Amino acid sequence: MLVYLLRRLGQSLFVVAAMAVLVFVGVYAIGNPIDIMISPDAGQAEMEAAIARLGLDKPMWEQFFIFIQNALQGDLGRSFVYSTDALGLILSKLPATLELAFLALLFAVFLGVPLGMIAGLKPNSIAGKTIMAGSIMGFSLPNFWQGMMLILLFAVIFKVLPSGGRGDTVQVFGVGLSFLTLDGLSHMLLPAVNLALFKTSLVIRLARAGTREASLQDYVKFARAKGLAPRRIVLVHILKNILIPVVTVLGLELGNMIAFAVVTETVFAWPGMGKLLIDSIQLLDRPVVVAYLMLTVIMFIIINLAVDMLYCVLDPRVRLSEARA
Amino acid sequence: MTAVSPTLEVRDLETHFFTRDGVVEAVHGVSFQVGAGEVLGLVGESGSGKSVTGFSILGLVDQPGRIAGGQILFQGRDLVQLAEKERRKLRGSKIAMIFQDPMMTLNPVLRIDTQMTEAVRAHRDVSHARALEICREALVKVGIPAPDERLASYPHQFSGGMRQRVAIAIAFLNEPALIIADEPTTALDVTIQGQILHEAQTLCRETGTAMIWITHDLAVVAGLADHICVMYAGRIVEQGPIDAVLDRPAHPYTVGLIGSVPSRNRRGGRLFQIPGMTPSLLNLAAGCAFRNRCPRATAACLEEPPVRAASHGRQVRCVHPHDGPLEEVLS
């Protein structure tokens, strides 16, 4: 197990290094931040002073070298716009996005798996067909449109939920969290549902396919031949088998939700990382974009590692073969 | 002489599959019986309806199939009329089944103890500790060494033979009156096959359990069964005491089946081959289903042949049965 972990960590370091090069070169190539940040009326001397202050006068390789040097010390640069530590800026927005993503994940799992199993067990029933039709909608209707419809329905027409913002927060270890207050929860509900819709549809499809496959297996028939109650067959024999693909996909999707909740956060004015990213791209705030992408890479690596660990819990076959590796 | 009622009596069983293309009569007019401690061999090619017969008895025929007629009398009760809840109580307790492929019958993500104790606790109100003890004893009975360690293992840590032993142990857990074994040795090595056969036979004799052994392998049945039913295209074409049927086969299909098995007595000779292919069961033409492949077929075979009694306690569904010892019939 330890050897396996170390090997995975080595691979991860390589990915981070490769990503650092790609991100830096990529962001360097787009636009000139000076044009946006300094008013066109500024004099030549002023302009040059600003360029020197931001370190943009140095050649690209030297800028990269400085970036790497600082990054190794945990410093991913200072925001051009806010003049604060870029990483700190992002991290201050992280809790808002995290709690939104986790609530959406809960929705996706606790709605998607049961609905998918119902659709898989009774594929020809009205319930099964309705669920599948619904999941197609969840897949194909654009995310931003779904969000706007949610606002229209619940905030404008029925006036039961707020349309945007974060609501009251509670400070836990110096971090503001919404889900601990009723007002905050009511603010979270719509964006979380919006973020979860696509993932729920995905989980429904996975759970349905898995259930249909598993229920044809001999071990299910054997379980029936043992005289087990249908409930136990579904909740133990089938469920445990379909969780493996669901966990894989959801792991990746969780990373996606945290890193790219951009659309939802914009529609619902949710002050999370996604909104910060969009703003930073518009203002060509390079250090923030770079820091954001680096953070995303590291997050994906950690999530993937966690998913692999979860496999070991769910699938005894993986547990053994990897213990030997 | 007082007639002891058999453990299981199947009368005119009809199991049909209602597919989009028509009705498939997978089991048609099948009747047989098995007594306590007896082994009945159900022999036939794939698609002859032998497995469906087994699943019909267990009440596990999947959609679009269902039992369309006949009776399944188990200890005097007609299972066909029984509600699903009642049938479930019988499954795994009074009637158990062993499946063909031991690699597939155990759930890969559940430990052996989970899969065994749930079978005990589904039918008996015992504590987990007691259930575990019952399972442990069952594993010892089928010859699995170090049962405590094995109980805590997962199926993939077992060999095929071991898994089938576990499946047999599960089948015997609740001391059933009837076991249906659906080709349980087909997927195993010959040496393991012998051990499993021996194990199953001993357990049946000891506990007085009736057993239906479904197979396509005449050699397996020859050493194991007391009675034999030969199935073809959903019908039992011949049945009787094992020695009578194997030594004096009456139905031309049985003759073909026996003749196509290599034997030491007929060394060097050409193996017999049944001409043609098994017919599709979809919209099967009237008359004897075997007539297109039968060397003795005549115009009389265009009508469905009735079941008639033959010598030596056999029953044959044929208008032109053979009557003589095997060598004479084959030559």
Side-chain angles (χ1 to χ4, degrees), chain B residues 95-148:
Chain B
I95 307 176
M97 185 151 183
I98 307 169
F99 285 61
Q100 177 170 6
D101 190 350
M103 297 309 203
M104 308 294 294
T105 46
L106 297 173
N107 194 324
V109 298
L110 297 178
R111 271 173 29 175
I112 298 298
D113 53 358
T114 315
Q115 302 195 45
M116 290 189 80
T117 50
E118 67 179 6
V120 176
R121 301 188 77 189
H123 301 287
R124 284 195 256 173
D125 188 21
V126 292
S127 69
H128 182 74
R130 175 72 191 120
L132 215 54
E133 209 173 296
I134 295 171
C135 299
R136 198 181 165 279
E137 285 162 17
L139 287 185
V140 172
K141 242 185 239 169
V142 293
I144 289 183
D148 290 312

Short mmCIF file of all heavy atoms in Angstrom, two decimals, chain B residues 95-148:
data_model
loop_
_atom_site.label_atom_id
_atom_site.label_comp_id
_atom_site.label_asym_id
_atom_site.label_seq_id
_atom_site.Cartn_x
_atom_site.Cartn_y
_atom_site.Cartn_z
N ILE B 95 -36.38 -25.71 -0.63
CA ILE B 95 -35.89 -26.01 -1.97
C ILE B 95 -34.67 -25.12 -2.23
O ILE B 95 -34.75 -23.91 -2.13
CB ILE B 95 -36.94 -25.69 -3.05
CG1 ILE B 95 -38.27 -26.38 -2.73
CG2 ILE B 95 -36.44 -26.12 -4.42
CD1 ILE B 95 -39.37 -26.05 -3.70
N ALA B 96 -33.55 -25.74 -2.53
CA ALA B 96 -32.35 -24.94 -2.76
C ALA B 96 -31.83 -25.24 -4.15
O ALA B 96 -32.19 -26.24 -4.77
CB ALA B 96 -31.30 -25.25 -1.72
N MET B 97 -30.97 -24.35 -4.64
CA MET B 97 -30.45 -24.55 -5.98
C MET B 97 -28.95 -24.32 -6.02
O MET B 97 -28.42 -23.46 -5.31
CB MET B 97 -31.14 -23.59 -6.94
CG MET B 97 -30.76 -23.80 -8.38
SD MET B 97 -32.09 -23.31 -9.50
CE MET B 97 -31.37 -23.75 -11.07
N ILE B 98 -28.27 -25.11 -6.83
CA ILE B 98 -26.84 -24.90 -7.08
C ILE B 98 -26.71 -24.55 -8.55
O ILE B 98 -27.29 -25.22 -9.40
CB ILE B 98 -26.04 -26.18 -6.77
CG1 ILE B 98 -26.36 -26.68 -5.36
CG2 ILE B 98 -24.56 -25.91 -6.90
CD1 ILE B 98 -25.82 -28.07 -5.10
N PHE B 99 -25.96 -23.50 -8.84
CA PHE B 99 -25.89 -23.00 -10.21
C PHE B 99 -24.70 -23.56 -10.96
O PHE B 99 -23.79 -24.15 -10.39
CB PHE B 99 -25.81 -21.48 -10.22
CG PHE B 99 -27.11 -20.80 -9.92
CD1 PHE B 99 -27.74 -21.00 -8.71
CD2 PHE B 99 -27.70 -19.97 -10.84
CE1 PHE B 99 -28.94 -20.39 -8.41
CE2 PHE B 99 -28.90 -19.34 -10.55
CZ PHE B 99 -29.52 -19.56 -9.34
N GLN B 100 -24.72 -23.29 -12.26
CA GLN B 100 -23.71 -23.84 -13.15
C GLN B 100 -22.32 -23.27 -12.93
O GLN B 100 -21.36 -24.00 -12.77
CB GLN B 100 -24.15 -23.58 -14.59
CG GLN B 100 -23.14 -24.04 -15.60
CD GLN B 100 -23.71 -23.98 -17.01
OE1 GLN B 100 -24.81 -23.51 -17.21
NE2 GLN B 100 -22.97 -24.48 -17.96
N ASP B 101 -22.23 -21.93 -12.93
CA ASP B 101 -20.90 -21.32 -12.95
C ASP B 101 -20.53 -20.78 -11.58
O ASP B 101 -21.04 -19.74 -11.16
CB ASP B 101 -20.89 -20.19 -13.98
CG ASP B 101 -19.48 -19.68 -14.22
OD1 ASP B 101 -18.57 -20.08 -13.45
OD2 ASP B 101 -19.28 -18.89 -15.14
N PRO B 102 -19.65 -21.48 -10.87
CA PRO B 102 -19.33 -21.03 -9.52
C PRO B 102 -18.63 -19.68 -9.49
O PRO B 102 -18.59 -19.01 -8.47
CB PRO B 102 -18.41 -22.13 -8.99
CG PRO B 102 -17.83 -22.75 -10.21
CD PRO B 102 -18.87 -22.65 -11.27
N MET B 103 -18.06 -19.26 -10.65
CA MET B 103 -17.39 -17.97 -10.68
C MET B 103 -18.40 -16.83 -10.62
O MET B 103 -18.07 -15.70 -10.31
CB MET B 103 -16.57 -17.83 -11.97
CG MET B 103 -15.46 -18.84 -12.08
SD MET B 103 -14.44 -18.86 -10.60
CE MET B 103 -12.95 -19.53 -11.25
N MET B 104 -19.64 -17.12 -11.00
CA MET B 104 -20.63 -16.06 -11.10
C MET B 104 -21.66 -16.05 -9.97
O MET B 104 -22.37 -15.08 -9.79
CB MET B 104 -21.40 -16.18 -12.42
CG MET B 104 -20.54 -16.28 -13.66
SD MET B 104 -19.59 -14.79 -13.95
CE MET B 104 -20.91 -13.66 -14.33
N THR B 105 -21.77 -17.15 -9.23
CA THR B 105 -22.90 -17.24 -8.30
C THR B 105 -22.66 -16.52 -6.99
O THR B 105 -23.61 -16.20 -6.29
CB THR B 105 -23.26 -18.70 -7.99
OG1 THR B 105 -22.07 -19.40 -7.72
CG2 THR B 105 -24.01 -19.32 -9.12
N LEU B 106 -21.40 -16.31 -6.64
CA LEU B 106 -21.15 -15.59 -5.39
C LEU B 106 -20.91 -14.12 -5.72
O LEU B 106 -20.22 -13.80 -6.68
CB LEU B 106 -19.93 -16.19 -4.67
CG LEU B 106 -20.11 -17.65 -4.25
CD1 LEU B 106 -18.82 -18.21 -3.70
CD2 LEU B 106 -21.22 -17.78 -3.23
N ASN B 107 -21.49 -13.26 -4.91
CA ASN B 107 -21.35 -11.83 -5.13
C ASN B 107 -19.90 -11.39 -4.88
O ASN B 107 -19.38 -11.60 -3.78
CB ASN B 107 -22.31 -11.08 -4.20
CG ASN B 107 -22.47 -9.63 -4.61
OD1 ASN B 107 -21.51 -9.00 -5.05
ND2 ASN B 107 -23.66 -9.11 -4.46
N PRO B 108 -19.24 -10.81 -5.87
CA PRO B 108 -17.80 -10.53 -5.73
C PRO B 108 -17.44 -9.51 -4.64
O PRO B 108 -16.30 -9.50 -4.18
CB PRO B 108 -17.41 -9.99 -7.11
CG PRO B 108 -18.69 -9.53 -7.73
CD PRO B 108 -19.75 -10.43 -7.19
N VAL B 109 -18.38 -8.66 -4.25
CA VAL B 109 -18.01 -7.61 -3.30
C VAL B 109 -18.49 -7.90 -1.87
O VAL B 109 -18.36 -7.05 -0.99
CB VAL B 109 -18.52 -6.23 -3.74
CG1 VAL B 109 -17.90 -5.84 -5.07
CG2 VAL B 109 -20.02 -6.20 -3.84
N LEU B 110 -19.04 -9.09 -1.65
CA LEU B 110 -19.48 -9.41 -0.29
C LEU B 110 -18.68 -10.59 0.26
O LEU B 110 -18.36 -11.53 -0.48
CB LEU B 110 -20.97 -9.78 -0.28
CG LEU B 110 -21.94 -8.68 -0.69
CD1 LEU B 110 -23.36 -9.21 -0.69
CD2 LEU B 110 -21.83 -7.49 0.24
N ARG B 111 -18.38 -10.52 1.55
CA ARG B 111 -17.61 -11.60 2.15
C ARG B 111 -18.45 -12.87 2.25
O ARG B 111 -19.67 -12.83 2.27
CB ARG B 111 -17.13 -11.18 3.54
CG ARG B 111 -15.79 -10.50 3.49
CD ARG B 111 -15.33 -9.92 4.79
NE ARG B 111 -15.79 -10.59 5.98
CZ ARG B 111 -15.38 -10.25 7.21
NH1 ARG B 111 -14.49 -9.28 7.35
NH2 ARG B 111 -15.84 -10.86 8.26
N ILE B 112 -17.74 -14.02 2.31
CA ILE B 112 -18.44 -15.30 2.36
C ILE B 112 -19.37 -15.37 3.57
O ILE B 112 -20.51 -15.83 3.47
CB ILE B 112 -17.41 -16.47 2.42
CG1 ILE B 112 -16.54 -16.47 1.16
CG2 ILE B 112 -18.12 -17.79 2.58
CD1 ILE B 112 -17.29 -16.69 -0.13
N ASP B 113 -18.91 -14.88 4.72
CA ASP B 113 -19.76 -14.98 5.91
C ASP B 113 -21.06 -14.20 5.71
O ASP B 113 -22.14 -14.66 6.10
CB ASP B 113 -19.02 -14.57 7.19
CG ASP B 113 -18.38 -13.19 7.07
OD1 ASP B 113 -18.48 -12.59 5.99
OD2 ASP B 113 -17.78 -12.73 8.05
N THR B 114 -20.96 -13.01 5.07
CA THR B 114 -22.18 -12.24 4.79
C THR B 114 -23.13 -13.04 3.92
O THR B 114 -24.33 -13.12 4.20
CB THR B 114 -21.81 -10.94 4.03
OG1 THR B 114 -20.69 -10.36 4.66
CG2 THR B 114 -22.96 -9.98 4.01
N GLN B 115 -22.57 -13.64 2.86
CA GLN B 115 -23.42 -14.33 1.91
C GLN B 115 -24.01 -15.61 2.49
O GLN B 115 -25.05 -16.08 2.02
CB GLN B 115 -22.64 -14.65 0.64
CG GLN B 115 -22.08 -13.41 0.00
CD GLN B 115 -21.62 -13.63 -1.43
OE1 GLN B 115 -22.29 -14.25 -2.22
NE2 GLN B 115 -20.45 -13.12 -1.76
N MET B 116 -23.31 -16.20 3.48
CA MET B 116 -23.83 -17.42 4.08
C MET B 116 -24.83 -17.12 5.20
O MET B 116 -25.91 -17.70 5.25
CB MET B 116 -22.69 -18.30 4.60
CG MET B 116 -21.88 -18.89 3.47
SD MET B 116 -20.68 -20.12 4.04
CE MET B 116 -21.72 -21.57 4.25
N THR B 117 -24.46 -16.20 6.08
CA THR B 117 -25.35 -15.96 7.22
C THR B 117 -26.69 -15.37 6.77
O THR B 117 -27.72 -15.66 7.37
CB THR B 117 -24.72 -15.01 8.26
OG1 THR B 117 -24.23 -13.85 7.59
CG2 THR B 117 -23.60 -15.68 9.00
N GLU B 118 -26.67 -14.59 5.70
CA GLU B 118 -27.94 -14.01 5.25
C GLU B 118 -28.90 -15.10 4.80
O GLU B 118 -30.11 -14.98 4.97
CB GLU B 118 -27.72 -12.99 4.13
CG GLU B 118 -27.22 -13.59 2.84
CD GLU B 118 -27.02 -12.55 1.73
OE1 GLU B 118 -27.17 -11.36 2.00
OE2 GLU B 118 -26.72 -12.96 0.60
N ALA B 119 -28.33 -16.19 4.26
CA ALA B 119 -29.19 -17.30 3.84
C ALA B 119 -29.81 -18.00 5.06
O ALA B 119 -30.95 -18.45 5.02
CB ALA B 119 -28.39 -18.30 3.02
N VAL B 120 -29.04 -18.10 6.14
CA VAL B 120 -29.57 -18.71 7.36
C VAL B 120 -30.63 -17.81 7.97
O VAL B 120 -31.74 -18.23 8.30
CB VAL B 120 -28.44 -18.96 8.39
CG1 VAL B 120 -29.02 -19.52 9.68
CG2 VAL B 120 -27.41 -19.90 7.81
N ARG B 121 -30.28 -16.52 8.10
CA ARG B 121 -31.15 -15.61 8.85
C ARG B 121 -32.39 -15.21 8.06
O ARG B 121 -33.34 -14.66 8.63
CB ARG B 121 -30.36 -14.39 9.29
CG ARG B 121 -29.17 -14.80 10.16
CD ARG B 121 -28.47 -13.62 10.78
NE ARG B 121 -29.23 -13.11 11.91
CZ ARG B 121 -28.92 -11.96 12.53
NH1 ARG B 121 -27.93 -11.24 12.09
NH2 ARG B 121 -29.62 -11.56 13.56
N ALA B 122 -32.40 -15.47 6.75
CA ALA B 122 -33.60 -15.18 5.97
C ALA B 122 -34.72 -16.15 6.35
O ALA B 122 -35.90 -15.86 6.15
CB ALA B 122 -33.31 -15.27 4.48
N HIS B 123 -34.34 -17.31 6.89
CA HIS B 123 -35.36 -18.33 7.16
C HIS B 123 -35.46 -18.75 8.61
O HIS B 123 -36.41 -19.38 9.02
CB HIS B 123 -35.08 -19.57 6.31
CG HIS B 123 -35.06 -19.28 4.84
ND1 HIS B 123 -36.21 -19.03 4.14
CD2 HIS B 123 -34.05 -19.16 3.95
CE1 HIS B 123 -35.90 -18.79 2.87
NE2 HIS B 123 -34.59 -18.85 2.74
N ARG B 124 -34.44 -18.42 9.38
CA ARG B 124 -34.47 -18.86 10.78
C ARG B 124 -34.19 -17.68 11.69
O ARG B 124 -33.35 -16.83 11.38
CB ARG B 124 -33.39 -19.92 11.01
CG ARG B 124 -33.79 -21.27 10.45
CD ARG B 124 -32.89 -22.34 11.00
NE ARG B 124 -31.91 -22.75 10.00
CZ ARG B 124 -30.91 -23.58 10.27
NH1 ARG B 124 -30.74 -24.03 11.49
NH2 ARG B 124 -30.07 -23.93 9.32
N ASP B 125 -34.88 -17.64 12.80
CA ASP B 125 -34.70 -16.54 13.74
C ASP B 125 -33.57 -16.89 14.70
O ASP B 125 -33.79 -17.34 15.81
CB ASP B 125 -36.02 -16.32 14.49
CG ASP B 125 -35.95 -15.06 15.34
OD1 ASP B 125 -35.09 -14.21 15.05
OD2 ASP B 125 -36.73 -14.96 16.29
N VAL B 126 -32.33 -16.70 14.24
CA VAL B 126 -31.18 -17.01 15.10
C VAL B 126 -30.27 -15.79 15.20
O VAL B 126 -30.32 -14.90 14.36
CB VAL B 126 -30.37 -18.21 14.55
CG1 VAL B 126 -31.18 -19.49 14.64
CG2 VAL B 126 -29.94 -17.95 13.12
N SER B 127 -29.44 -15.77 16.22
CA SER B 127 -28.50 -14.66 16.39
C SER B 127 -27.41 -14.76 15.33
O SER B 127 -27.22 -15.81 14.70
CB SER B 127 -27.86 -14.72 17.77
OG SER B 127 -27.00 -15.84 17.84
N HIS B 128 -26.70 -13.66 15.13
CA HIS B 128 -25.63 -13.65 14.15
C HIS B 128 -24.56 -14.68 14.51
O HIS B 128 -24.04 -15.40 13.65
CB HIS B 128 -25.01 -12.26 14.06
CG HIS B 128 -23.94 -12.16 13.03
ND1 HIS B 128 -24.21 -12.12 11.68
CD2 HIS B 128 -22.59 -12.13 13.13
CE1 HIS B 128 -23.09 -12.06 11.01
NE2 HIS B 128 -22.08 -12.06 11.86
N ALA B 129 -24.25 -14.76 15.79
CA ALA B 129 -23.21 -15.69 16.25
C ALA B 129 -23.61 -17.14 15.94
O ALA B 129 -22.80 -17.93 15.45
CB ALA B 129 -22.96 -15.50 17.74
N ARG B 130 -24.88 -17.45 16.20
CA ARG B 130 -25.36 -18.81 15.95
C ARG B 130 -25.34 -19.11 14.45
O ARG B 130 -24.95 -20.20 14.02
CB ARG B 130 -26.79 -18.95 16.53
CG ARG B 130 -27.47 -20.26 16.24
CD ARG B 130 -26.88 -21.41 17.06
NE ARG B 130 -27.36 -22.70 16.59
CZ ARG B 130 -26.57 -23.67 16.12
NH1 ARG B 130 -25.27 -23.50 16.08
NH2 ARG B 130 -27.09 -24.81 15.72
N ALA B 131 -25.76 -18.12 13.66
CA ALA B 131 -25.78 -18.29 12.20
C ALA B 131 -24.37 -18.57 11.68
O ALA B 131 -24.15 -19.43 10.84
CB ALA B 131 -26.35 -17.04 11.54
N LEU B 132 -23.41 -17.83 12.25
CA LEU B 132 -22.02 -18.00 11.85
C LEU B 132 -21.54 -19.42 12.15
O LEU B 132 -20.83 -20.04 11.38
CB LEU B 132 -21.16 -16.98 12.60
CG LEU B 132 -19.98 -16.38 11.85
CD1 LEU B 132 -20.42 -15.79 10.53
CD2 LEU B 132 -19.31 -15.32 12.70
N GLU B 133 -22.00 -19.92 13.29
CA GLU B 133 -21.62 -21.27 13.70
C GLU B 133 -22.19 -22.31 12.72
O GLU B 133 -21.49 -23.25 12.32
CB GLU B 133 -22.20 -21.51 15.10
CG GLU B 133 -21.41 -22.46 15.96
CD GLU B 133 -21.99 -22.46 17.35
OE1 GLU B 133 -21.94 -21.40 18.03
OE2 GLU B 133 -22.53 -23.50 17.75
N ILE B 134 -23.46 -22.09 12.34
CA ILE B 134 -24.11 -23.00 11.38
C ILE B 134 -23.32 -23.00 10.06
O ILE B 134 -23.07 -24.05 9.47
CB ILE B 134 -25.57 -22.56 11.13
CG1 ILE B 134 -26.39 -22.73 12.42
CG2 ILE B 134 -26.19 -23.38 10.01
CD1 ILE B 134 -27.77 -22.13 12.35
N CYS B 135 -22.92 -21.82 9.63
CA CYS B 135 -22.18 -21.70 8.37
C CYS B 135 -20.84 -22.41 8.45
O CYS B 135 -20.39 -23.06 7.51
CB CYS B 135 -21.95 -20.23 8.02
SG CYS B 135 -23.46 -19.32 7.80
N ARG B 136 -20.21 -22.25 9.60
CA ARG B 136 -18.91 -22.86 9.80
C ARG B 136 -19.03 -24.38 9.67
O ARG B 136 -18.25 -25.03 8.98
CB ARG B 136 -18.41 -22.49 11.20
CG ARG B 136 -16.95 -22.68 11.39
CD ARG B 136 -16.54 -22.31 12.80
NE ARG B 136 -15.21 -22.84 13.04
CZ ARG B 136 -14.98 -24.10 13.36
NH1 ARG B 136 -15.98 -24.93 13.50
NH2 ARG B 136 -13.74 -24.52 13.52
N GLU B 137 -20.05 -24.94 10.32
CA GLU B 137 -20.27 -26.39 10.25
C GLU B 137 -20.53 -26.82 8.82
O GLU B 137 -20.05 -27.87 8.38
CB GLU B 137 -21.46 -26.78 11.14
CG GLU B 137 -21.12 -26.77 12.63
CD GLU B 137 -22.39 -26.73 13.48
OE1 GLU B 137 -23.48 -27.02 12.95
OE2 GLU B 137 -22.26 -26.39 14.68
N ALA B 138 -21.30 -25.99 8.09
CA ALA B 138 -21.63 -26.33 6.71
C ALA B 138 -20.37 -26.38 5.85
O ALA B 138 -20.22 -27.27 5.00
CB ALA B 138 -22.62 -25.32 6.14
N LEU B 139 -19.46 -25.45 6.09
CA LEU B 139 -18.21 -25.43 5.31
C LEU B 139 -17.37 -26.67 5.63
O LEU B 139 -16.75 -27.26 4.74
CB LEU B 139 -17.41 -24.16 5.61
CG LEU B 139 -17.94 -22.87 5.01
CD1 LEU B 139 -16.99 -21.71 5.29
CD2 LEU B 139 -18.14 -23.00 3.51
N VAL B 140 -17.35 -27.06 6.89
CA VAL B 140 -16.60 -28.26 7.27
C VAL B 140 -17.17 -29.47 6.56
O VAL B 140 -16.45 -30.31 6.02
CB VAL B 140 -16.64 -28.46 8.80
CG1 VAL B 140 -16.04 -29.80 9.18
CG2 VAL B 140 -15.92 -27.32 9.51
N LYS B 141 -18.51 -29.53 6.49
CA LYS B 141 -19.19 -30.67 5.88
C LYS B 141 -18.83 -30.84 4.40
O LYS B 141 -18.74 -31.96 3.92
CB LYS B 141 -20.71 -30.50 6.01
CG LYS B 141 -21.35 -31.61 6.83
CD LYS B 141 -22.86 -31.45 6.82
CE LYS B 141 -23.37 -31.29 8.24
NZ LYS B 141 -24.78 -30.88 8.26
N VAL B 142 -18.64 -29.73 3.68
CA VAL B 142 -18.30 -29.87 2.26
C VAL B 142 -16.79 -29.91 2.04
O VAL B 142 -16.31 -29.81 0.92
CB VAL B 142 -18.90 -28.72 1.40
CG1 VAL B 142 -20.39 -28.81 1.37
CG2 VAL B 142 -18.43 -27.37 1.89
N GLY B 143 -16.04 -30.07 3.15
CA GLY B 143 -14.61 -30.32 3.02
C GLY B 143 -13.78 -29.09 2.72
O GLY B 143 -12.82 -29.14 1.97
N ILE B 144 -14.15 -27.96 3.32
CA ILE B 144 -13.32 -26.76 3.16
C ILE B 144 -12.43 -26.60 4.39
O ILE B 144 -12.93 -26.50 5.51
CB ILE B 144 -14.20 -25.51 2.95
CG1 ILE B 144 -14.83 -25.58 1.55
CG2 ILE B 144 -13.40 -24.24 3.12
CD1 ILE B 144 -15.66 -24.41 1.18
N PRO B 145 -11.11 -26.64 4.19
CA PRO B 145 -10.21 -26.51 5.34
C PRO B 145 -10.19 -25.07 5.87
O PRO B 145 -10.51 -24.14 5.14
CB PRO B 145 -8.86 -26.90 4.75
CG PRO B 145 -8.98 -26.66 3.29
CD PRO B 145 -10.41 -26.80 2.92
N ALA B 146 -9.82 -24.92 7.12
CA ALA B 146 -9.72 -23.62 7.79
C ALA B 146 -10.97 -22.76 7.57
O ALA B 146 -10.90 -21.67 7.00
CB ALA B 146 -8.49 -22.85 7.33
N PRO B 147 -12.13 -23.26 8.00
CA PRO B 147 -13.39 -22.54 7.69
C PRO B 147 -13.46 -21.14 8.28
O PRO B 147 -14.04 -20.25 7.66
CB PRO B 147 -14.47 -23.44 8.28
CG PRO B 147 -13.78 -24.31 9.26
CD PRO B 147 -12.39 -24.48 8.77
N ASP B 148 -12.86 -20.93 9.46
CA ASP B 148 -12.97 -19.58 10.06
C ASP B 148 -12.30 -18.55 9.18
O ASP B 148 -12.82 -17.47 8.95
CB ASP B 148 -12.32 -19.59 11.45
CG ASP B 148 -13.13 -20.40 12.42
OD1 ASP B 148 -14.36 -20.19 12.46
OD2 ASP B 148 -12.55 -21.25 13.12
#
